[in-house]
Amino acid sequence: MKAPAQHKQDSGKPAIAHIDAALTRMGWPPCALLSPMPQLIAVLDAQLRPLFCTEALLRYAQGSAAADLPPSWQSWVHPDDLQALGQAREIALSRQGHACEHDLRLRAADGSYRWHLTQLSRLTPSQQPGDASASGDTADWLLALCIDIDMRKQAEASLKDSDDLWKLALESNGDGVWDWYVQTGVELYSPRILQIYGYAPGEIDPDPAEFDARTHPDDLAQMRADRDAHFSGRTAIYSNEHRVRCKDGSWKWVHSRGMVISRDEQGRPLRMVGTHTDITVRKQAEALIWEQAHFDALTGLPNRRSLRDRLALGLQTAKQSQGQLAVLFIDLDHFKEVNDTLGHDMGDALLIEASRRILASVRPQDTVARMGGDEFTVLLGSLADAAEAELMAQQIIATLACAFHLNGERVFVSASIGLSLYPQDGQRIETLFKHADQALYVAKAAGRNRLGRFTPELQEAALARMRLSNDLREALAQQQLFLEYQPIVDLATGRIHKAEALLRWQHPELGRVSPADFIPLAESSGTIIEIGEWVFQQAAAQAQAWREALDPSFQISINKSPVQFRDEATGPGPQLSWADQLQTLQLEGSALCIEITEGLLLDADPHIKQSLQTLRQAGFQVSLDDFGTGFSSLAYLHKFDIDLIKIDQRFVRELRPQAKDLVLCKAIITMAHALGLKVIAEGVETAEQRDLLKDAGCDFAQGYWFARPMSPKAVEELVLQPAPSRF
Ligand code: C2E
Ligand code: CA
Ligand code: CA
């Protein structure tokens, strides 16, 4: 989709975000969705300068959807209509939430003018003090919607002279005309009104009951109420929108307007005339806009916005009936892998099938919404007890764990679900969402494919994580962080010329905190960027020292988080590139090996591939950590620049002669070698594991059997002494 046409603001920044925010507050879709729609729609500022126009409007007025916006709305309006426009603007600006309608002639690209019914309505200003759009201008922005009424205007003009009565009726606006003798119960119809609904003249009896019988049952009550209000003199003009059934059985939306033109002495209506305007197209456009604002286009499920509305309603009902309500946050495990490896079309097909399965697992009165990406939310109302909600959640997990058949491929994903309950776990929308999210976090951390329930302990744990995350911000400056190094042994020679740098945190009160606990926090808060930079500098200096003191080819591995790569791709990145820093130290790139995770490679971002290439060009080695735990195959890895793979501890742990994992390790080693990659086995804890790996041809090993992560001094002592026999 091309960028919607819009004016630049003085700052040079596009106003589109502000416009989108203002539109969204009105229940309209954002510019990008609005732009290709067939309606003539514009957003104007208080001086009527267009800020945004739909492509249809630009095509109509400028001849091309790609045309520039005009400097003023007035330049498109017939000079004789400018006064009416000015009045309409005043009224629209003075009334929040009411549309002001007026007819005006809008200039087409060829210079001719056509009449348009134009609705001007003031956009709701932002209520939030922090919102950028609250800084002043959106408050006076107007939305203009123009509907072509040129045919009608021409008809009005030609009928003008023929009959005062018709003139009156037509002037009150409309296509087809009706003329109702209220006391005698006779109603006359113009040929045009019959034509709207597909009837020939004379085909409908001159009886108001005829039209009432064709009016949509849902619209009848309001129509009668509006009619009574006019009969009793409470409204100057009768006006009502309703649906009428056509001869062919289809429904048309009409705007019916009319007026009592004579009354008896008691003031009872004698005669009323009015019109029907076919507004089906407008209604369809409104329905489409409403649909787009409230439903997810891919799955047809309610979106985040309508979920909130429904939850608010559900909470109200639950409060009144003292019932229970459950919120389920569903997250598909490994969806990203499917999307990245099989393509977005398959990803879309999977989401549609997943939404179908979730719907089938709940009751008809429950709400299933898509929050975006692979996240769904389910609302379960009027529950007997918590167990009922848990049962449905388990049902969802079970059904999503079954194979998906996508275009001949069998694909497995699973689901993690977080559950929070009203009233136990929270009374307000925000609280219920937050607690379902915490429960989801726990379900994922516990290994996915499961249900997490909110508990007060979870809340405690979330608080503890937050405190720890805050402490971590200070840890670097307070010199609480340091590195340990775990030697990596060359299995053929028993020598050590590699070591992995592992980060340690000595917390002033908690003592040693495990990196498994604090690295994820550093990643989600972004602190990892600063810390990762520090790790690099420490490790580079250490490698330089050891190349001089121990071995000129000594290499240190450092772990680089995907968050650091993403910061380079989209954020500021490090001040001085790692390659430049090495040059300053006069250190070869091969002094360092960067350990990355599979998840990074699956990231579809082309910048990531570029960053890896840059590292390789600077001479760094790249190794793939925790191999075998993710999704990628060796053949897939071949596409990337990688020197080494590290077989995950999980496979090494179970290594025994005849074990299945041994076959797997051998296969990995053989294939890696065929692709020119070296292999490191992690987590070697026994002599037997070392022997099996050595026999399988594994190049390097790392683990407690050889050495634990240790201080630099301890590494030096180990390297300088003759290799122990256990190596
Ligand atoms: P990892 O990269 O897979 O690191 C290997 C982990 O295995 C280390 O845990 C190490 O102490 C442990 N290990 C080594 N040999 C054995 C063994 O024989 N048996 C057992 N059971 N474990 C062994 P550690 O130090 O707790 O680090 C955990 C994770 O934290 C690391 O996993 C790595 O993902 C992350 N991490 C550590 N330092 C850094 C860092 O500087 N930056 C980033 N981004 N992540 C780091
Ligand atoms: Ca590692
Ligand atoms: Ca590892």
Side-chain angles (χ1 to χ4, degrees), residues 198-214:
Y199 294 100
E203 244 188 298
I204 288 187
D205 287 341
D207 182 343
E210 288 284 333
F211 262 95
D212 284 3
R214 287 172 174 77

Side-chain angles (χ1 to χ4, degrees), residues 156 159-161 163-172:
E156 283 173 28
L159 275 171
K160 212 167 185 147
D161 306 324
D163 190 320
D164 276 351
L165 179 63
W166 296 128
K167 179 177 144 198
L168 177 68
L170 284 167
E171 272 174 1
S172 85

Side-chain angles (χ1 to χ4, degrees), residues 483 486 500-504 514-516 519 523 528 535 559-561 564 595 625-626 649 682-685 702-705 709:
L483 292 179
Q486 186 174 36
E500 178 175 5
L502 291 160
L503 189 58
R504 300 292 175 247
S514 161
I519 296 286
E523 289 182 325
I528 192 70
V535 169
N559 294 284
K560 184 169 178 184
S561 157
Q564 290 171 270
E595 297 197 4
D625 210 351
D626 305 337
Q649 321 196 352
E682 277 190 310
V684 175
E685 293 186 351
Q702 172 184 358
Y704 293 171
W705 173 257

Side-chain angles (χ1 to χ4, degrees), residues 158-434:
S158 64
L159 275 171
K160 212 167 185 147
D161 306 324
S162 67
D163 190 320
D164 276 351
L165 179 63
W166 296 128
K167 179 177 144 198
L168 177 68
L170 284 167
E171 272 174 1
S172 85
N173 210 356
D175 275 341
V177 177
W178 45 268
D179 183 359
W180 180 19
Y181 295 82
V182 182
Q183 310 273 317
T184 55
V186 172
E187 189 169 32
L188 304 173
Y189 307 113
S190 75
R192 172 64 189 134
I193 198 170
L194 297 173
Q195 191 198 350
I196 291 178
Y197 305 108
Y199 294 100
E203 244 188 298
I204 288 187
D205 287 341
D207 182 343
E210 288 284 333
F211 262 95
D212 284 3
R214 287 172 174 77
T215 301
H216 198 288
D218 293 350
D219 303 338
L220 264 177
Q222 186 60 46
M223 185 178 85
R224 294 200 170 119
D226 289 342
R227 196 188 282 166
D228 290 345
H230 181 62
F231 279 179
S232 65
R234 276 176 283 138
T235 53
I237 288 181
Y238 159 74
S239 170
N240 173 267
E241 293 182 355
H242 59 258
R243 283 157 286 183
V244 176
R245 203 177 50 245
C246 301
K247 191 177 175 184
D248 65 7
S250 65
W251 291 97
K252 268 200 172 155
W253 270 105
V254 285
H255 188 177
S256 180
R257 279 178 265 211
M259 220 173 175
V260 170
I261 56 165
S262 60
R263 295 182 184 261
D264 62 15
E265 287 94 56
Q266 283 80 42
R268 285 176 306 206
L270 285 174
R271 188 175 173 197
M272 182 173 176
V273 282
T275 58
H276 276 188
T277 311
D278 185 349
I279 54 166
T280 309
V281 175
R282 192 192 94 204
K283 281 284 181 187
Q284 280 167 350
E286 281 175 5
L288 183 66
I289 288 168
W290 193 86
E291 169 107 7
Q292 284 177 343
H294 290 82
F295 288 88
D296 168 49
L298 178 67
T299 59
L301 294 176
N303 62 12
R304 185 186 293 272
R305 176 202 174 101
S306 24
L307 176 82
R308 292 188 74 92
D309 295 347
R310 290 183 195 205
L311 181 53
L313 214 67
L315 283 177
Q316 228 170 35
T317 322
K319 251 170 221 156
Q320 280 156 7
S321 64
Q322 301 198 325
Q324 291 198 38
L325 190 147
V327 176
L328 307 184
F329 270 23
I330 307 176
D331 193 291
L332 298 186
D333 309 322
H334 312 299
F335 172 73
K336 194 166 154 36
E337 283 97 317
V338 173
N339 216 27
D340 290 344
T341 47
L342 299 180
H344 289 256
D345 287 349
M346 295 279 242
D348 284 356
L350 191 147
L351 287 173
I352 292 169
E353 172 63 13
S355 64
R356 204 191 54 73
R357 290 187 191 180
I358 298 172
L359 272 174
S361 310
V362 299
R363 303 158 303 173
Q365 71 265 34
D366 298 324
T367 298
V368 178
R370 178 167 176 231
M371 309 301 270
D374 56 350
E375 292 168 20
F376 296 88
T377 298
V378 175
L379 298 185
L380 305 170
S382 42
L383 291 166
D385 50 25
E388 199 184 355
E390 286 178 11
L391 203 69
M392 280 190 264
Q394 295 294 0
Q395 169 64 28
I396 294 172
I397 291 174
T399 172
L400 291 175
C402 298
F404 286 79
H405 298 272
L406 303 175
N407 212 359
E409 299 257 9
R410 254 157 61 92
V411 175
F412 288 91
V413 293
S414 53
S416 303
I417 300 187
L419 171 78
S420 70
L421 281 170
Y422 168 88
Q424 304 85 309
D425 303 339
Q427 315 265 330
R428 294 178 46 245
I429 296 184
E430 293 315 325
T431 327
L432 287 167
F433 277 2
K434 192 174 83 191

